[in-house]
Amino acid sequence: MPNPTAIECIARLALSALFGGIVGLERELRLKGAGLRTHLIVSFASCMMMLVSKYGFYDMLEFAAAHSYDTMKLDPSRIAAGLVTAIGFLGAGTIFSRNRVVTGLTTAAGLWATVGIGMTLGAGMYLISLFGTGFIVVVQAILHR
């Protein structure tokens, strides 16, 4: 599959901001610390990084082919794997323990899942991202105590 056009990449970024914002809006309406802006930015940024991960190194492959290199070792999945790890630090900042009561776990899980929304959009998996967004919002809204 060829690289997406700049317009398609911008559309993916816009959708990731929209979908992340939808998840964040539910959190914001419940007065949680990480709301609309946080989820929107997390989804947008993870989509951007996924686009780099998936498409940002084709020039290196073309360079290798032009210079008759037999092998070119690239692992674009490393960026995607780093996203999943890195969001843990942001999510950890939303978890608090007071008087044997832990709060913020759902918000942290929502942030982690929002990275998945951005990553799937960055990878061009539109229906999976749409389903994931709906699923996360429904679970957070319906299963809220």
Side-chain angles (χ1 to χ4, degrees), residues 2 11 18 30 40 44 53 85 89 101 106 112 124 131-132 137 139:
L18 174 67
R30 296 200 187 281
L40 185 150
F44 182 89
S53 181
T85 304
F89 291 102
V101 175
T106 302
W112 188 63
F131 176 78
V137 170
V139 164

Side-chain angles (χ1 to χ4, degrees), residues 21-32 136-137 140-141 144:
I22 290 168
V23 174
L25 182 61
E26 187 279 332
R27 295 281 80 199
E28 190 145 315
L29 292 174
R30 296 200 187 281
L31 303 175
K32 302 299 178 180
I136 293 163
V137 170
Q140 287 181 341
H144 179 73

